[in-house]
Amino acid sequence: MEEQNIVSIDLGTSKIGLTIARKDGRTAEVIYYGETPSQGIARGSVQNVRKAAKAISEAIELAEETIHMKITGAVVNMPKYPITRKSSIASMDRDGESCVEEGEIDTLRQNAMDDCSPDDPESEKTLIAIAQSYSDEDTFQMCEEDIVGRTSSRLEGCYDIYIGKKKSLAMIDQAFNEAGRNCGTKLFPALSVSRSCLSEDEMNRGVALVDMGAGATSISVWKDGIMRWYDSIPFGGNLVTKDIQEVCNVSESLAENLKKAYGACLPDRLQNLSDKIIKIMEGNTVSKTLQVKYLSKIITARMIEIVDAALYMIQESGYADKLNSGIVLTGGVSNCCNLKTLVRERSGLNVRIGIPGPMFTCEGICDGISDQEACASVGMMLMARDINYANCTTAMDSGKGDLSKLFDEITPGQEAEAEAKEKTETVQQQQPKTVEKPKAEESPKTENGSKSRAKDGDGKKKGRGFEKLLSLFDTITEEEEV
Protein backbone atom coordinates (compact mmCIF):
# COMPACT_ATOMS: atom_id res chain seq x y z
CA MET A 1 0.00 0.00 0.00
CA GLU A 2 1.37 3.43 -0.97
CA GLU A 3 2.37 5.65 1.93
CA GLN A 4 -0.09 8.49 2.63
CA ASN A 5 1.35 11.82 3.70
CA ILE A 6 -0.37 15.06 4.68
CA VAL A 7 1.16 18.47 3.92
CA SER A 8 -0.11 21.64 5.60
CA ILE A 9 1.20 25.16 4.97
CA ASP A 10 0.54 28.09 7.29
CA LEU A 11 0.83 31.34 5.32
CA GLY A 12 1.85 33.82 7.98
CA THR A 13 2.90 37.45 7.81
CA SER A 14 6.41 36.85 9.17
CA LYS A 15 6.96 33.15 8.48
CA ILE A 16 5.65 30.16 6.54
CA GLY A 17 5.20 27.01 8.61
CA LEU A 18 5.14 23.70 6.75
CA THR A 19 4.22 20.36 8.34
CA ILE A 20 4.44 16.91 6.76
CA ALA A 21 2.87 13.96 8.56
CA ARG A 22 2.58 10.27 7.75
CA LYS A 23 -1.06 9.16 8.01
CA ASP A 24 -1.88 5.67 9.23
CA GLY A 25 -5.58 5.32 9.89
CA ARG A 26 -6.45 7.71 12.71
CA THR A 27 -2.84 8.26 13.76
CA ALA A 28 -0.42 10.88 12.44
CA GLU A 29 3.36 10.88 12.69
CA VAL A 30 5.08 14.17 11.89
CA ILE A 31 8.18 13.58 9.76
CA TYR A 32 9.00 17.22 9.02
CA TYR A 33 8.29 20.68 10.38
CA GLY A 34 10.04 23.80 9.18
CA GLU A 35 9.68 27.57 9.21
CA THR A 36 10.97 29.90 6.50
CA PRO A 37 10.72 33.70 6.13
CA SER A 38 7.54 35.00 4.56
CA GLN A 39 7.14 37.85 2.11
CA GLY A 40 4.27 39.29 0.14
CA ILE A 41 1.75 38.03 2.74
CA ALA A 42 -0.13 40.04 5.37
CA ARG A 43 -2.77 38.73 7.80
CA GLY A 44 -2.91 35.47 5.86
CA SER A 45 -3.76 37.29 2.62
CA VAL A 46 -1.43 37.40 -0.36
CA GLN A 47 -0.55 41.01 -1.14
CA ASN A 48 2.19 40.44 -3.70
CA VAL A 49 1.77 37.31 -5.82
CA ARG A 50 5.36 37.01 -7.02
CA LYS A 51 6.93 37.60 -3.63
CA ALA A 52 4.51 35.16 -1.99
CA ALA A 53 5.17 32.57 -4.71
CA LYS A 54 8.90 32.84 -4.10
CA ALA A 55 8.45 32.36 -0.34
CA ILE A 56 6.14 29.37 -0.89
CA SER A 57 8.61 27.79 -3.33
CA GLU A 58 11.50 28.19 -0.89
CA ALA A 59 9.52 26.57 1.93
CA ILE A 60 8.42 23.63 -0.21
CA GLU A 61 11.81 23.08 -1.84
CA LEU A 62 13.53 23.01 1.56
CA ALA A 63 11.07 20.37 2.76
CA GLU A 64 11.51 18.30 -0.40
CA GLU A 65 15.29 18.33 -0.08
CA THR A 66 15.03 17.29 3.56
CA ILE A 67 12.61 14.35 3.21
CA HIS A 68 13.51 13.39 -0.39
CA MET A 69 9.88 13.51 -1.53
CA LYS A 70 7.97 15.54 -4.07
CA ILE A 71 5.15 17.66 -2.60
CA THR A 72 2.16 17.53 -4.93
CA GLY A 73 -0.48 19.30 -2.83
CA ALA A 74 -1.18 20.90 0.53
CA VAL A 75 -3.91 22.22 2.77
CA VAL A 76 -3.60 25.93 3.56
CA ASN A 77 -5.28 28.40 5.89
CA MET A 78 -7.85 30.96 4.84
CA PRO A 79 -7.02 34.60 5.59
CA LYS A 80 -7.93 35.46 9.17
CA TYR A 81 -8.85 39.05 8.26
CA PRO A 82 -11.22 40.49 7.10
CA ILE A 83 -14.06 38.10 7.97
CA THR A 84 -17.64 39.15 8.74
CA ARG A 85 -20.24 37.19 10.66
CA LYS A 86 -23.99 36.81 10.06
CA SER A 87 -26.74 34.70 11.62
CA SER A 88 -29.11 32.49 9.65
CA ILE A 89 -32.00 30.14 10.44
CA ALA A 90 -33.08 27.34 8.13
CA SER A 91 -35.93 24.85 8.51
CA MET A 92 -37.54 21.93 6.71
CA ASP A 93 -40.66 19.78 7.09
CA ARG A 94 -40.37 15.99 7.38
CA ASP A 95 -42.66 12.96 7.46
CA GLY A 96 -42.24 12.62 11.23
CA GLU A 97 -41.71 8.86 11.09
CA SER A 98 -38.20 8.34 9.73
CA CYS A 99 -35.03 9.24 11.66
CA VAL A 100 -33.12 12.40 10.92
CA GLU A 101 -30.03 11.57 8.85
CA GLU A 102 -26.74 13.42 8.48
CA GLY A 103 -27.56 14.14 4.85
CA GLU A 104 -30.57 16.18 5.95
CA ILE A 105 -28.35 18.16 8.31
CA ASP A 106 -26.00 18.92 5.42
CA THR A 107 -28.96 20.05 3.30
CA LEU A 108 -30.18 22.29 6.12
CA ARG A 109 -26.73 23.85 6.47
CA GLN A 110 -26.53 24.52 2.73
CA ASN A 111 -29.99 26.13 2.81
CA ALA A 112 -28.83 28.42 5.60
CA MET A 113 -25.79 29.45 3.55
CA ASP A 114 -27.94 30.07 0.47
CA ASP A 115 -30.46 32.16 2.43
CA CYS A 116 -27.73 34.31 4.01
CA SER A 117 -25.87 35.48 0.93
CA PRO A 118 -23.07 38.07 1.12
CA ASP A 119 -23.97 41.74 0.87
CA ASP A 120 -21.69 42.05 -2.16
CA PRO A 121 -21.74 38.70 -4.00
CA GLU A 122 -19.27 39.94 -6.61
CA SER A 123 -16.47 40.52 -4.09
CA GLU A 124 -17.46 38.34 -1.12
CA LYS A 125 -17.87 34.61 -0.58
CA THR A 126 -19.39 32.47 2.16
CA LEU A 127 -16.57 30.61 3.88
CA ILE A 128 -18.30 28.35 6.38
CA ALA A 129 -21.50 27.85 8.39
CA ILE A 130 -21.13 26.89 12.06
CA ALA A 131 -24.23 25.29 13.58
CA GLN A 132 -25.21 26.84 16.91
CA SER A 133 -28.24 24.69 17.74
CA TYR A 134 -31.01 22.50 16.31
CA SER A 135 -34.66 22.22 17.27
CA ASP A 136 -37.72 20.14 16.41
CA GLU A 137 -41.35 20.26 17.47
CA ASP A 138 -40.53 18.82 20.90
CA THR A 139 -37.05 19.98 21.95
CA PHE A 140 -34.98 23.13 21.57
CA GLN A 141 -31.25 23.92 21.69
CA MET A 142 -29.86 20.54 20.64
CA CYS A 143 -26.45 19.85 19.15
CA GLU A 144 -25.98 17.93 15.89
CA GLU A 145 -25.17 14.66 17.69
CA ASP A 146 -28.51 14.83 19.52
CA ILE A 147 -30.71 15.73 16.57
CA VAL A 148 -29.43 12.97 14.27
CA GLY A 149 -31.54 9.85 14.86
CA ARG A 150 -34.66 11.58 16.19
CA THR A 151 -38.04 11.19 14.53
CA SER A 152 -39.23 14.73 13.88
CA SER A 153 -41.83 16.29 11.64
CA ARG A 154 -40.05 19.66 11.57
CA LEU A 155 -36.35 20.44 11.72
CA GLU A 156 -34.78 23.83 12.35
CA GLY A 157 -31.14 24.94 12.61
CA CYS A 158 -29.47 28.15 13.73
CA TYR A 159 -26.13 28.96 12.09
CA ASP A 160 -23.36 31.52 12.21
CA ILE A 161 -22.27 32.32 8.65
CA TYR A 162 -18.74 33.64 8.08
CA ILE A 163 -18.02 35.60 4.92
CA GLY A 164 -14.64 36.53 3.42
CA LYS A 165 -13.20 38.25 0.36
CA LYS A 166 -13.12 36.38 -2.96
CA LYS A 167 -9.95 38.19 -4.00
CA SER A 168 -8.07 37.02 -0.91
CA LEU A 169 -8.89 33.39 -1.67
CA ALA A 170 -8.13 33.77 -5.39
CA MET A 171 -4.72 35.33 -4.75
CA ILE A 172 -3.68 32.36 -2.64
CA ASP A 173 -4.43 30.10 -5.62
CA GLN A 174 -2.61 32.52 -7.91
CA ALA A 175 0.50 32.50 -5.72
CA PHE A 176 0.60 28.69 -5.67
CA ASN A 177 0.11 28.59 -9.45
CA GLU A 178 2.93 31.10 -9.88
CA ALA A 179 5.10 28.81 -7.78
CA GLY A 180 4.09 25.82 -9.91
CA ARG A 181 2.38 24.12 -6.97
CA ASN A 182 -1.08 22.79 -6.21
CA CYS A 183 -3.15 24.47 -3.52
CA GLY A 184 -5.63 22.02 -2.02
CA THR A 185 -8.34 22.54 0.59
CA LYS A 186 -8.48 25.87 2.44
CA LEU A 187 -9.38 25.60 6.12
CA PHE A 188 -11.00 28.17 8.41
CA PRO A 189 -8.20 29.56 10.62
CA ALA A 190 -9.99 29.47 13.98
CA LEU A 191 -10.95 25.80 13.55
CA SER A 192 -7.43 24.69 12.66
CA VAL A 193 -5.69 26.56 15.49
CA SER A 194 -8.20 25.38 18.09
CA ARG A 195 -7.84 21.79 16.83
CA SER A 196 -4.21 21.71 17.91
CA CYS A 197 -4.10 23.65 21.18
CA LEU A 198 -7.54 23.42 22.86
CA SER A 199 -8.76 20.40 24.77
CA GLU A 200 -12.28 19.04 24.45
CA ASP A 201 -12.93 19.88 28.10
CA GLU A 202 -11.92 23.53 27.56
CA MET A 203 -14.20 23.89 24.54
CA ASN A 204 -17.10 22.45 26.52
CA ARG A 205 -16.59 24.51 29.68
CA GLY A 206 -16.02 27.76 27.80
CA VAL A 207 -12.75 29.26 26.55
CA ALA A 208 -11.52 32.19 24.44
CA LEU A 209 -8.67 31.46 22.05
CA VAL A 210 -6.57 34.51 21.15
CA ASP A 211 -4.23 33.86 18.21
CA MET A 212 -1.67 36.68 18.20
CA GLY A 213 0.20 36.80 14.92
CA ALA A 214 2.55 39.32 13.36
CA GLY A 215 -0.09 40.93 11.12
CA ALA A 216 -3.43 40.21 12.82
CA THR A 217 -4.97 38.97 16.06
CA SER A 218 -7.99 36.67 15.93
CA ILE A 219 -10.38 35.76 18.72
CA SER A 220 -12.61 32.68 18.80
CA VAL A 221 -14.95 31.84 21.69
CA TRP A 222 -15.99 28.25 22.44
CA LYS A 223 -18.78 26.91 24.64
CA ASP A 224 -20.44 23.48 24.77
CA GLY A 225 -18.01 22.23 22.15
CA ILE A 226 -19.19 24.81 19.57
CA MET A 227 -17.45 27.89 18.24
CA ARG A 228 -19.83 30.65 19.35
CA TRP A 229 -17.94 33.68 18.05
CA TYR A 230 -15.08 34.65 15.78
CA ASP A 231 -13.60 38.03 14.94
CA SER A 232 -10.20 39.52 14.16
CA ILE A 233 -8.36 42.82 14.38
CA PRO A 234 -5.84 43.95 11.73
CA PHE A 235 -2.80 44.48 13.92
CA GLY A 236 -0.33 42.30 15.80
CA GLY A 237 3.35 41.94 16.60
CA ASN A 238 4.56 43.95 13.61
CA LEU A 239 3.26 47.13 15.24
CA VAL A 240 5.48 46.45 18.26
CA THR A 241 8.48 46.27 15.93
CA LYS A 242 7.51 49.54 14.25
CA ASP A 243 7.11 51.25 17.65
CA ILE A 244 10.62 50.20 18.67
CA GLN A 245 11.98 51.31 15.30
CA GLU A 246 10.44 54.78 15.50
CA VAL A 247 10.92 55.53 19.19
CA CYS A 248 14.48 54.21 19.40
CA ASN A 249 15.45 55.40 15.89
CA VAL A 250 16.90 52.06 14.78
CA SER A 251 16.53 49.91 11.68
CA GLU A 252 13.57 47.56 11.28
CA SER A 253 15.75 44.44 11.47
CA LEU A 254 17.46 45.65 14.64
CA ALA A 255 14.09 46.54 16.18
CA GLU A 256 12.84 43.01 15.43
CA ASN A 257 15.93 41.47 17.05
CA LEU A 258 15.61 43.71 20.09
CA LYS A 259 11.98 42.64 20.46
CA LYS A 260 12.84 38.95 20.26
CA ALA A 261 15.82 39.12 22.61
CA TYR A 262 14.77 41.68 25.23
CA GLY A 263 11.03 42.03 24.57
CA ALA A 264 8.89 41.88 27.70
CA CYS A 265 5.76 43.41 29.18
CA LEU A 266 5.36 45.01 32.61
CA PRO A 267 8.78 46.65 33.18
CA ASP A 268 8.26 46.66 36.95
CA ARG A 269 8.19 42.84 36.91
CA LEU A 270 11.53 42.33 35.15
CA GLN A 271 13.65 42.37 38.34
CA ASN A 272 17.38 42.39 37.50
CA LEU A 273 16.83 42.41 33.73
CA SER A 274 15.24 45.87 33.83
CA ASP A 275 18.56 47.46 34.87
CA LYS A 276 20.44 45.96 31.93
CA ILE A 277 21.82 48.46 29.40
CA ILE A 278 21.89 47.52 25.71
CA LYS A 279 24.83 49.02 23.80
CA ILE A 280 24.29 49.49 20.07
CA MET A 281 27.58 49.55 18.21
CA GLU A 282 28.57 51.19 14.93
CA GLY A 283 31.95 49.80 14.04
CA ASN A 284 34.04 49.96 17.21
CA THR A 285 32.14 52.79 18.86
CA VAL A 286 28.95 52.84 20.88
CA SER A 287 26.38 54.81 18.91
CA LYS A 288 23.47 54.40 21.29
CA THR A 289 22.48 52.89 24.62
CA LEU A 290 19.05 51.57 25.51
CA GLN A 291 17.76 50.46 28.88
CA VAL A 292 15.75 47.23 28.87
CA LYS A 293 13.17 48.82 31.16
CA TYR A 294 12.60 51.62 28.65
CA LEU A 295 12.23 49.08 25.84
CA SER A 296 9.70 47.20 27.96
CA LYS A 297 7.63 50.36 28.41
CA ILE A 298 7.41 50.77 24.63
CA ILE A 299 6.31 47.15 24.17
CA THR A 300 3.82 47.26 27.06
CA ALA A 301 2.00 50.28 25.66
CA ARG A 302 1.30 48.51 22.36
CA MET A 303 0.51 45.16 24.02
CA ILE A 304 -2.10 46.80 26.22
CA GLU A 305 -3.80 48.17 23.09
CA ILE A 306 -3.86 44.72 21.44
CA VAL A 307 -5.00 42.93 24.60
CA ASP A 308 -7.78 45.46 25.31
CA ALA A 309 -9.05 45.12 21.72
CA ALA A 310 -9.15 41.33 22.11
CA LEU A 311 -10.95 41.58 25.45
CA TYR A 312 -13.49 43.95 23.88
CA MET A 313 -14.21 41.31 21.21
CA ILE A 314 -14.69 38.69 23.92
CA GLN A 315 -17.13 41.00 25.70
CA GLU A 316 -19.03 41.57 22.44
CA SER A 317 -19.47 37.80 22.01
CA GLY A 318 -21.78 37.67 25.02
CA TYR A 319 -19.80 34.80 26.58
CA ALA A 320 -17.33 36.77 28.69
CA ASP A 321 -18.95 35.54 31.92
CA LYS A 322 -19.16 31.92 30.71
CA LEU A 323 -15.47 31.24 30.10
CA ASN A 324 -14.85 28.72 32.85
CA SER A 325 -11.58 27.69 31.21
CA GLY A 326 -10.39 31.28 30.81
CA ILE A 327 -8.24 32.49 27.93
CA VAL A 328 -5.67 30.63 25.84
CA LEU A 329 -2.97 32.68 24.11
CA THR A 330 -1.13 31.33 21.08
CA GLY A 331 0.76 32.59 18.03
CA GLY A 332 4.24 34.10 17.83
CA VAL A 333 3.40 37.23 19.85
CA SER A 334 2.42 35.09 22.85
CA ASN A 335 6.14 34.41 23.33
CA CYS A 336 6.49 37.89 24.83
CA CYS A 337 7.64 37.64 28.44
CA ASN A 338 4.99 38.59 31.04
CA LEU A 339 2.21 38.77 28.42
CA LYS A 340 0.25 36.06 30.22
CA THR A 341 0.42 38.09 33.43
CA LEU A 342 -0.71 41.22 31.60
CA VAL A 343 -3.77 39.47 30.13
CA ARG A 344 -4.66 37.89 33.46
CA GLU A 345 -4.51 41.24 35.27
CA ARG A 346 -6.63 43.04 32.69
CA SER A 347 -9.22 40.28 32.22
CA GLY A 348 -9.46 38.69 35.67
CA LEU A 349 -9.53 35.25 34.00
CA ASN A 350 -7.20 32.29 34.07
CA VAL A 351 -4.70 32.46 31.21
CA ARG A 352 -2.40 29.84 29.71
CA ILE A 353 -0.17 29.59 26.64
CA GLY A 354 -1.48 27.24 23.95
CA ILE A 355 0.94 24.87 22.20
CA PRO A 356 0.20 21.79 20.05
CA GLY A 357 -1.24 19.06 22.25
CA PRO A 358 -0.22 15.36 22.41
CA MET A 359 -2.28 14.22 19.42
CA PHE A 360 0.56 12.99 17.22
CA THR A 361 4.06 11.55 17.31
CA CYS A 362 7.24 12.94 15.78
CA GLU A 363 10.06 11.30 13.90
CA GLY A 364 12.45 13.30 11.77
CA ILE A 365 13.10 17.04 11.46
CA CYS A 366 10.58 18.41 13.96
CA ASP A 367 12.36 21.31 15.69
CA GLY A 368 9.79 23.90 16.76
CA ILE A 369 6.80 21.57 16.44
CA SER A 370 5.89 22.17 20.11
CA ASP A 371 6.03 25.97 19.92
CA GLN A 372 3.11 28.37 19.71
CA GLU A 373 3.97 29.32 16.14
CA ALA A 374 3.31 25.74 14.99
CA CYS A 375 -0.31 25.60 16.19
CA ALA A 376 -1.87 26.68 12.88
CA SER A 377 0.15 24.31 10.68
CA VAL A 378 -0.25 21.37 13.08
CA GLY A 379 -3.97 22.05 13.44
CA MET A 380 -4.46 21.99 9.67
CA MET A 381 -2.59 18.69 9.53
CA LEU A 382 -4.90 17.22 12.16
CA MET A 383 -8.01 18.48 10.36
CA ALA A 384 -6.73 17.03 7.08
CA ARG A 385 -6.29 13.71 8.84
CA ASP A 386 -9.86 13.91 10.16
CA ILE A 387 -11.34 14.53 6.70
CA ASN A 388 -9.04 11.91 5.15
CA TYR A 389 -7.17 14.41 2.98
CA ALA A 390 -3.82 12.75 2.18
CA ASN A 391 -1.64 11.65 -0.76
CA CYS A 392 0.13 15.03 -0.80
CA THR A 393 3.57 13.63 -1.70
CA THR A 394 5.18 11.29 -4.23
CA ALA A 395 8.64 9.74 -4.51
CA MET A 396 11.39 11.82 -6.09
CA ASP A 397 11.79 11.04 -9.82
CA SER A 398 15.57 11.17 -9.54
CA GLY A 399 15.56 8.32 -7.09
CA LYS A 400 17.32 10.43 -4.50
CA GLY A 401 17.47 8.54 -1.27
CA ASP A 402 17.01 5.15 -2.99
CA LEU A 403 20.21 3.25 -2.08
CA SER A 404 19.33 0.20 -4.19
CA LYS A 405 20.04 2.15 -7.39
CA LEU A 406 23.52 2.98 -6.16
CA PHE A 407 24.37 -0.69 -5.67
CA ASP A 408 23.03 -1.62 -9.11
CA GLU A 409 25.48 0.75 -10.76
CA ILE A 410 28.62 -1.02 -9.38
CA THR A 411 30.30 -3.21 -12.01
CA PRO A 412 32.42 -6.34 -11.24
CA GLY A 413 35.61 -4.41 -12.11
CA GLN A 414 34.70 -1.64 -9.71
CA GLU A 415 33.99 -4.24 -7.02
CA ALA A 416 37.50 -5.76 -7.38
CA GLU A 417 39.06 -2.31 -7.28
CA ALA A 418 37.13 -1.50 -4.11
CA GLU A 419 38.37 -4.70 -2.42
CA ALA A 420 42.01 -3.88 -3.26
CA LYS A 421 41.58 -0.36 -1.92
CA GLU A 422 40.06 -1.73 1.28
CA LYS A 423 43.12 -4.02 1.85
CA THR A 424 45.50 -1.07 1.35
CA GLU A 425 43.59 1.01 3.89
CA THR A 426 43.73 -1.87 6.38
CA VAL A 427 47.54 -2.02 6.13
CA GLN A 428 47.81 1.72 6.59
CA GLN A 429 45.66 1.56 9.70
CA GLN A 430 48.12 -0.90 11.29
CA GLN A 431 51.04 1.61 11.08
CA PRO A 432 51.96 3.36 14.37
CA LYS A 433 50.35 6.75 14.87
CA THR A 434 51.72 9.85 16.54
CA VAL A 435 49.96 10.51 19.83
CA GLU A 436 48.43 13.94 19.85
CA LYS A 437 47.76 16.03 22.86
CA PRO A 438 44.11 15.58 23.83
CA LYS A 439 41.90 18.54 23.18
CA ALA A 440 39.68 20.11 25.78
CA GLU A 441 36.33 18.46 25.94
CA GLU A 442 33.49 20.32 24.41
CA SER A 443 30.28 20.72 26.27
CA PRO A 444 27.92 17.91 25.34
CA LYS A 445 25.13 18.71 22.92
CA THR A 446 21.70 17.36 23.52
CA GLU A 447 19.70 15.83 20.71
CA ASN A 448 16.05 15.01 20.42
CA GLY A 449 15.16 11.35 20.47
CA SER A 450 14.05 9.64 17.29
CA LYS A 451 10.51 9.67 18.55
CA SER A 452 8.91 12.31 20.70
CA ARG A 453 5.43 13.47 21.52
CA ALA A 454 4.26 17.06 21.48
CA LYS A 455 3.54 18.21 25.01
CA ASP A 456 0.22 19.48 26.19
CA GLY A 457 -0.27 23.18 26.78
CA ASP A 458 -0.58 22.90 30.55
CA GLY A 459 1.55 25.92 31.25
CA LYS A 460 4.62 23.92 32.30
CA LYS A 461 6.27 24.17 28.90
CA LYS A 462 5.58 27.27 26.90
CA GLY A 463 7.53 26.57 23.74
CA ARG A 464 9.82 29.58 23.93
CA GLY A 465 9.93 30.81 27.48
CA PHE A 466 12.08 33.25 29.42
CA GLU A 467 15.21 31.09 29.14
CA LYS A 468 14.95 31.04 25.36
CA LEU A 469 14.36 34.77 25.39
CA LEU A 470 17.67 35.29 27.22
CA SER A 471 19.48 32.86 24.91
CA LEU A 472 18.80 35.20 21.99
CA PHE A 473 21.08 37.95 23.35
CA ASP A 474 24.03 36.68 21.29
CA THR A 475 21.90 36.73 18.14
CA ILE A 476 21.65 40.48 18.23
CA THR A 477 25.40 40.92 18.69
CA GLU A 478 26.12 38.74 15.66
CA GLU A 479 23.51 40.18 13.31
CA GLU A 480 23.34 43.82 14.27
CA GLU A 481 26.52 44.43 16.30
CA VAL A 482 24.67 45.44 19.43
Side-chain angles (χ1 to χ4, degrees):
M1 183 178 177
E2 186 179 355
E3 187 177 87
Q4 291 187 329
N5 293 320
I6 302 169
V7 179
S8 62
I9 300 178
D10 173 29
L11 302 176
T13 302
S14 62
K15 57 87 182 172
I16 292 179
L18 192 150
T19 302
I20 303 175
R22 184 181 297 115
K23 180 180 179 294
D24 185 9
R26 293 290 300 169
T27 63
E29 182 180 53
V30 176
I31 59 177
Y32 174 85
Y33 175 76
E35 295 178 0
T36 54
S38 175
Q39 56 180 331
I41 300 173
R43 299 181 292 275
S45 298
V46 173
Q47 305 294 323
N48 187 304
V49 172
R50 291 186 177 177
K51 288 184 177 181
K54 181 180 178 182
I56 292 169
S57 294
E58 291 175 353
I60 294 177
E61 288 171 3
L62 177 61
E64 290 177 336
E65 293 174 2
T66 304
I67 65 172
H68 308 317
M69 294 181 183
K70 182 72 174 177
I71 294 177
T72 57
V75 292
V76 299
N77 51 329
M78 295 178 184
K80 65 170 62 174
Y81 179 90
I83 293 178
T84 58
R85 170 181 168 272
K86 291 185 174 184
S87 297
S88 178
I89 299 177
S91 61
M92 65 168 59
D93 294 324
R94 304 181 67 257
D95 55 19
E97 296 180 357
S98 61
C99 296
V100 176
E101 302 291 344
E102 292 183 359
E104 294 178 277
I105 298 298
D106 294 337
T107 301
L108 198 65
R109 180 181 289 106
Q110 187 60 50
N111 292 342
M113 296 173 67
D114 295 339
D115 293 341
C116 188
S117 58
D119 295 334
D120 185 4
E122 293 185 0
S123 63
E124 295 178 331
K125 180 180 179 179
T126 300
L127 303 178
I128 193 171
I130 305 294
Q132 300 299 301
S133 65
Y134 292 95
S135 305
D136 61 11
E137 66 274 15
D138 298 321
T139 309
F140 299 92
Q141 301 293 320
M142 291 181 288
C143 64
E144 185 172 336
E145 294 180 356
D146 293 335
I147 193 67
V148 173
R150 291 175 64 93
T151 55
S152 308
S153 59
R154 182 171 178 79
L155 184 62
E156 184 178 272
C158 299
Y159 298 88
D160 280 347
I161 311 296
Y162 292 95
I163 300 170
K165 298 293 184 180
K166 283 184 177 180
K167 183 178 179 180
S168 299
L169 299 173
M171 291 188 72
I172 293 176
D173 292 326
Q174 192 174 348
F176 272 85
N177 291 335
E178 181 79 12
R181 305 291 178 168
N182 178 37
C183 177
T185 301
K186 299 180 184 68
L187 300 175
F188 196 72
L191 298 181
S192 58
V193 176
S194 62
R195 183 68 179 83
S196 65
C197 65
L198 293 184
S199 67
E200 184 177 349
D201 181 66
E202 286 176 326
M203 290 189 285
N204 283 323
R205 297 181 68 241
V207 65
L209 175 63
V210 182
D211 183 9
M212 309 180 74
T217 301
S218 63
I219 303 93
S220 58
V221 178
W222 295 77
K223 180 68 175 177
D224 298 326
I226 299 172
M227 190 178 76
R228 301 295 185 176
W229 179 274
Y230 174 85
D231 209 337
S232 58
I233 48 182
F235 46 88
N238 280 356
L239 289 184
V240 178
T241 302
K242 290 182 179 179
D243 290 344
I244 298 172
Q245 179 185 0
E246 293 177 1
V247 175
C248 301
N249 193 24
V250 296
S251 65
E252 183 179 356
S253 59
L254 179 55
E256 180 69 17
N257 287 332
L258 286 169
K259 181 183 73 173
K260 290 181 178 179
Y262 297 92
C265 299
L266 305 176
D268 296 334
R269 305 288 183 89
L270 295 181
Q271 299 179 354
N272 296 334
L273 184 62
S274 64
D275 298 329
K276 194 174 185 69
I277 302 296
I278 306 171
K279 296 181 179 180
I280 301 176
M281 308 292 292
E282 285 188 4
N284 296 325
T285 60
V286 179
S287 64
K288 186 176 298 185
T289 59
L290 180 64
Q291 190 177 19
V292 172
K293 186 173 184 179
Y294 180 66
L295 180 65
S296 179
K297 289 181 178 180
I298 300 172
I299 295 173
T300 301
R302 180 63 72 178
M303 285 298 186
I304 288 177
E305 180 184 10
I306 296 175
V307 169
D308 285 353
L311 294 179
Y312 173 78
M313 294 292 183
I314 294 174
Q315 193 70 35
E316 284 290 296
S317 72
Y319 285 85
D321 58 345
K322 301 175 183 178
L323 304 179
N324 297 322
S325 294
I327 297 174
V328 175
L329 303 177
T330 191
V333 179
S334 64
N335 283 313
C336 184
C337 182
N338 289 337
L339 177 61
K340 186 173 71 171
T341 302
L342 175 66
V343 176
R344 183 171 59 243
E345 290 181 353
R346 301 189 74 82
S347 67
L349 298 171
N350 294 327
V351 182
R352 75 168 180 89
I353 302 297
I355 60 175
M359 308 172 211
F360 55 93
T361 58
C362 297
E363 181 175 353
I365 310 299
C366 300
D367 293 342
I369 194 69
S370 296
D371 293 342
Q372 297 97 304
E373 293 94 328
C375 282
S377 184
V378 171
M380 286 189 288
M381 178 272 293
L382 294 173
M383 289 187 68
R385 181 200 64 183
D386 295 341
I387 63 177
N388 200 29
Y389 184 92
N391 297 325
C392 296
T393 63
T394 59
M396 282 286 192
D397 294 336
S398 61
K400 187 175 181 180
D402 188 357
L403 298 181
S404 62
K405 293 187 177 182
L406 297 178
F407 291 112
D408 293 340
E409 294 174 356
I410 298 178
T411 64
Q414 291 172 330
E415 184 176 358
E417 184 180 349
E419 290 179 358
K421 184 178 180 181
E422 182 179 356
K423 290 179 181 180
T424 303
E425 291 177 351
T426 303
V427 173
Q428 291 176 350
Q429 290 175 1
Q430 293 175 355
Q431 299 297 323
K433 296 181 179 180
T434 303
V435 178
E436 297 181 357
K437 184 178 179 180
K439 297 180 180 180
E441 292 184 0
E442 297 181 355
S443 58
K445 296 181 180 180
T446 60
E447 296 183 356
N448 294 330
S450 60
K451 287 201 174 187
S452 62
R453 183 176 291 273
K455 297 183 179 179
D456 195 4
D458 55 2
K460 295 182 180 179
K461 180 171 180 177
K462 299 296 183 286
R464 298 177 182 173
F466 192 67
E467 294 180 359
K468 190 166 185 179
L469 181 143
L470 293 177
S471 70
L472 291 173
F473 290 169
D474 296 336
T475 304
I476 291 186
T477 303
E478 294 173 1
E479 295 182 5
E480 299 293 341
E481 295 185 348
V482 176

